[in-house]
Amino acid sequence: MEREHHLIPLKVHGVLVDPNTDTQIVVLRDDGNTEVLPIWVGTAEGTSIRLALEGIVPPRPMSHDLITSFAQHLGFTVTKVIITEVKENTYYAVLHLTANGIERVIDCRPSDAIAVAVRTKSPIYVTAEVLERKSSEHLDAWLAKLDLKHSDQSES
């Protein structure tokens, strides 16, 4: 399992559309903006994360809303999400759930883990090893685009 003392807390900074791949990029940053982790996700997952970040509740529950509802109704609390490793440009994650003093760890895709974490306001962590191996190709251009988008929105 992951080594808890090597975990770095991250927050979702935003979700960008990658026009080259028809996917979306979830940008995670630490509080000091010194560490950045971009994760490419599918359109549905990126949209789900974006809706939750913006506080938009769809007319019918999305899959991540259903997962969150199941957890709550069964008495589970999502205590944290950890992005545990990266292999061949694929990230891996786990959800930590607790109920009645018992912790369960569930393997999942990072996009699903992040979507649930945003909905439950649970902390997101990454291992130091993942940050060391992250893919940062074209990262500066994407971050500049994200910062520009945020400054445009704040001026409106």
Side-chain angles (χ1 to χ4, degrees):
M1 203 96 248
E2 70 280 338
R3 293 179 296 236
E4 298 276 330
H5 61 281
H6 285 97
L7 298 179
I8 295 99
L10 298 176
K11 292 186 177 157
V12 180
H13 184 71
V15 181
L16 301 172
V17 175
D18 183 346
N20 299 321
T21 62
D22 199 30
T23 59
Q24 298 189 26
I25 306 165
V26 178
V27 179
L28 301 167
R29 287 187 173 175
D30 68 346
D31 283 334
N33 284 329
T34 56
E35 297 292 349
V36 179
L37 181 64
I39 299 179
W40 274 252
V41 301
T43 302
E45 294 81 1
T47 300
S48 177
I49 293 166
R50 185 180 303 108
L51 288 175
L53 285 173
E54 295 173 0
I56 297 171
V57 179
R60 299 293 302 142
M62 297 182 77
S63 298
H64 301 108
D65 299 314
L66 179 64
I67 292 167
T68 302
S69 181
F70 264 127
Q72 290 170 345
H73 282 86
L74 294 173
F76 285 95
T77 301
V78 179
T79 56
K80 63 186 161 192
V81 162
I82 303 174
I83 300 165
T84 56
E85 59 187 315
V86 58
K87 294 180 189 173
E88 299 176 12
N89 293 323
T90 300
Y91 290 94
Y92 294 80
V94 292
L95 276 173
H96 284 251
L97 303 169
T98 357
N100 302 320
I102 298 171
E103 183 176 62
R104 302 278 187 226
V105 179
I106 300 173
D107 180 39
C108 61
R109 299 181 305 177
S111 57
D112 295 328
I114 293 166
V116 170
V118 170
R119 283 167 171 73
T120 60
K121 300 187 181 2
S122 303
I124 301 169
Y125 297 95
V126 64
T127 63
E129 294 81 9
V130 168
L131 281 179
E132 290 169 10
R133 299 186 62 210
K134 69 184 172 191
S135 169
S136 58
E137 183 180 342
H138 308 296
L139 181 58
D140 291 336
W142 292 119
L143 293 178
K145 181 179 175 184
L146 180 64
D147 288 337
L148 179 63
K149 180 181 173 190
H150 280 288
S151 65
D152 288 346
Q153 288 175 350
S154 62
E155 291 173 6
S156 310

